[in-house]
Amino acid sequence: MPADVKADALQKEGTREFEEAIAGKGPKMPASSTTKAEEAELNKALEDTFPASDPVQPTAPESSVGAPAGRKSVDGKKDA
């Protein structure tokens, strides 16, 4: 049997199985274990992260150039 004929037969079999599987009601979904407040918090967090393609805003501690207070800089310049 040529490969393309075999592939077509397998595709038809898979399609038939899929259609049979989705034809019924399906399994009963379990009850939600989250409260409305938790659900709202999760939805808010999801909204805050949408869209995911936006770059994250970096947070960095405040810093300044130079030596800490009470120490001399080592850049070769004399302190005035």
Side-chain angles (χ1 to χ4, degrees):
M1 176 182 289
D4 59 340
V5 174
K6 186 174 182 180
D8 286 342
L10 290 172
Q11 178 65 43
K12 287 178 184 175
E13 181 182 341
T15 301
R16 180 186 50 78
E17 290 175 356
F18 175 76
E19 288 174 352
E20 287 175 359
I22 64 170
K25 278 180 104 175
K28 183 179 177 184
M29 297 300 290
S32 177
S33 62
T34 59
T35 65
K36 288 191 182 264
E38 289 172 328
E39 190 72 27
E41 188 176 343
L42 289 171
N43 285 336
K44 174 75 171 113
L46 182 61
E47 289 172 7
D48 289 345
T49 60
F50 184 82
S53 61
D54 285 352
V56 176
Q57 294 296 321
T59 57
E62 289 186 29
S63 62
S64 60
V65 179
R71 290 183 55 193
K72 293 183 179 183
S73 180
V74 293
D75 65 358
K77 295 180 184 177
K78 291 186 177 181
D79 291 341

